[in-house]
Amino acid sequence: MPLVSSTEMFKKAYEGKYAIGAFNVNNMEIIQGIVDAAKEEQSPLILQVSAGARKYARHIYLVKLVEAAVSDTGLPICLHLDHGEDFEICKACVDGGFNSVMIDGSKHPFEENIALTKKVVEYAHSKGVVVEAELGRLAGVEDDISVSARDAQFTDPDQAVEFVERTGCDSLAIAIGTSHGAYKFKGEPYLDFERLQRISELMPGYPIVLHGASTVIPEFVEKCNEYGGDVAGARGVPEEMLRKAGTMGVCKINIDTDLRLAMTASIREHLQNHPADFDPRTYLGAGRAAIKGMVQHKIKHVLNSSNRI
């Protein structure tokens, strides 16, 4: 089975009122942990690669690892560029084997965002590749992207309609209160569900994307800190909020921080309990197993995407 487009995935997710997990990948163990979980749960998957991941692991290695995952599991998997900042990186991914790209022009004024997104859409569509765009800005840090909470802007529903109509983008990431990184909320967690409902009503059937949607699972934060980490005060999006969003037109939920925490916590624990161990296969294997368990939990209890193949 080749890589599959997210178009049919999103159509089924919208109609079934569930979400597809979009998991960020950086190496073999992360990919294996994610796909092993999805295989057991019979869940479709989006594996996404950030600009930072491309710099770290190199484009060709990640593409071949994802292709290997498809061959190994037979799962419907979409390979997606997360937060492409310009036309050039989107073009490189379109030409280099990705079947979905995100152009993030949210830092630009509205008209500039439209022009950039439209340029990417025209090129990607000519090659059979789908495009995600972003309107509104999230607080927090995503690789090289940093937006202060003060400057964060929620997505305007009427602008969202105009943006989609003028650009032709296939899905839209909106800002309703989530943020990137492990420190998402200083006070009580809050998502603007009224805004999400309005956007969904104005664009019926259209797939909405939620970025910055890790739960920051306390178990892994506590384990990180117990075994020498310093992840104090980390707080994510409650699972019940994400489940609700998945019934309101959100078809893609991005998860990255929870992967990092699960792997790091397990590696820390292993190395402290086995100080003589210097075999990367054992401690990376522990990280892989932790990712598998965490992703299974997300699929079953947050995304509701089990048995959707």
Side-chain angles (χ1 to χ4, degrees):
M1 176 184 289
L3 292 169
V4 301
S5 171
S6 60
T7 302
E8 188 62 24
M9 283 187 188
F10 290 162
K11 183 176 184 293
K12 292 179 179 178
Y14 192 97
E15 293 172 352
K17 295 187 179 299
Y18 64 92
I20 308 296
F23 299 94
N24 284 72
V25 298
N26 297 279
N27 64 14
M28 182 186 75
E29 287 78 13
I30 293 174
I31 292 171
Q32 289 177 332
I34 295 167
V35 299
D36 287 351
K39 179 71 172 178
E40 286 194 21
E41 296 302 322
Q42 286 294 287
S43 172
L45 271 181
I46 296 172
L47 297 180
Q48 56 186 27
V49 174
S50 68
R54 286 179 82 244
K55 291 176 185 176
Y56 170 75
R58 282 175 267 177
H59 179 112
I60 189 65
Y61 284 85
L62 291 171
V63 170
K64 294 304 180 182
L65 284 168
V66 172
E67 289 176 352
V70 173
S71 297
D72 183 44
T73 65
L75 287 171
I77 296 175
C78 174
L79 176 57
H80 176 72
L81 169 66
D82 188 29
H83 285 284
E85 66 175 1
D86 54 37
F87 176 79
E88 286 70 29
I89 188 173
C90 291
K91 182 178 184 299
C93 288
V94 169
D95 294 342
F98 286 55
N99 59 343
S100 177
V101 296
M102 178 197 181
I103 177 63
D104 182 2
S106 60
K107 66 183 178 182
H108 299 297
F110 185 64
E111 290 296 333
E112 289 183 31
N113 190 358
I114 285 178
L116 175 60
T117 301
K118 187 175 181 179
K119 181 179 180 182
V120 171
V121 167
E122 289 174 349
Y123 185 79
H125 282 185
S126 74
K127 305 293 184 178
V129 173
V130 297
V131 178
E132 174 187 327
E134 182 166 346
L135 185 63
R137 302 175 71 187
L138 274 65
V141 176
E142 174 81 16
D143 286 327
D144 298 328
I145 300 166
S146 179
V147 183
S148 71
R150 182 184 59 212
D151 294 331
Q153 300 173 353
F154 283 9
T155 304
D156 178 88
D158 292 323
Q159 277 195 336
V161 174
E162 181 182 354
F163 186 89
V164 169
E165 288 178 347
R166 291 176 62 186
T167 64
C169 61
D170 301 284
S171 61
L172 184 67
I174 63 171
I176 59 170
T178 57
S179 62
H180 293 126
Y183 303 89
K184 301 184 185 300
F185 302 101
K186 293 181 180 179
E188 287 299 311
Y190 168 78
L191 294 186
D192 191 339
F193 285 110
E194 290 185 13
R195 187 178 299 268
L196 173 58
Q197 182 67 33
R198 179 61 177 157
I199 293 171
S200 296
E201 289 172 350
L202 288 173
M203 300 191 296
Y206 187 84
I208 295 169
V209 177
L210 204 59
H211 284 220
S214 281
T215 304
V216 188
I217 299 171
E219 169 193 345
F220 294 119
V221 174
E222 292 165 6
K223 186 179 286 188
C224 272
N225 293 336
E226 179 182 355
Y227 293 101
D230 184 14
V231 192
R235 195 173 189 186
V237 185
E239 291 183 350
E240 60 269 20
M241 289 187 176
L242 297 174
R243 284 194 295 268
K244 181 176 179 179
T247 68
M248 299 175 65
V250 171
C251 297
K252 174 175 178 274
I253 291 180
N254 287 16
I255 298 168
D256 186 12
T257 298
D258 282 333
L259 294 166
R260 300 183 187 196
L261 286 170
M263 174 165 262
T264 301
S266 297
I267 290 173
R268 282 186 176 277
E269 179 184 32
H270 180 88
L271 291 176
Q272 185 159 320
N273 290 337
H274 304 86
D277 189 0
F278 58 90
D279 185 346
R281 292 172 296 184
T282 56
Y283 56 80
L284 290 175
R288 178 176 61 190
I291 283 179
K292 179 184 175 183
M294 187 276 292
V295 171
Q296 278 191 275
H297 173 82
K298 294 285 186 183
I299 289 171
K300 289 193 288 188
H301 302 294
V302 179
L303 302 164
N304 193 26
S305 61
S306 292
N307 300 310
R308 302 289 186 172
I309 296 176

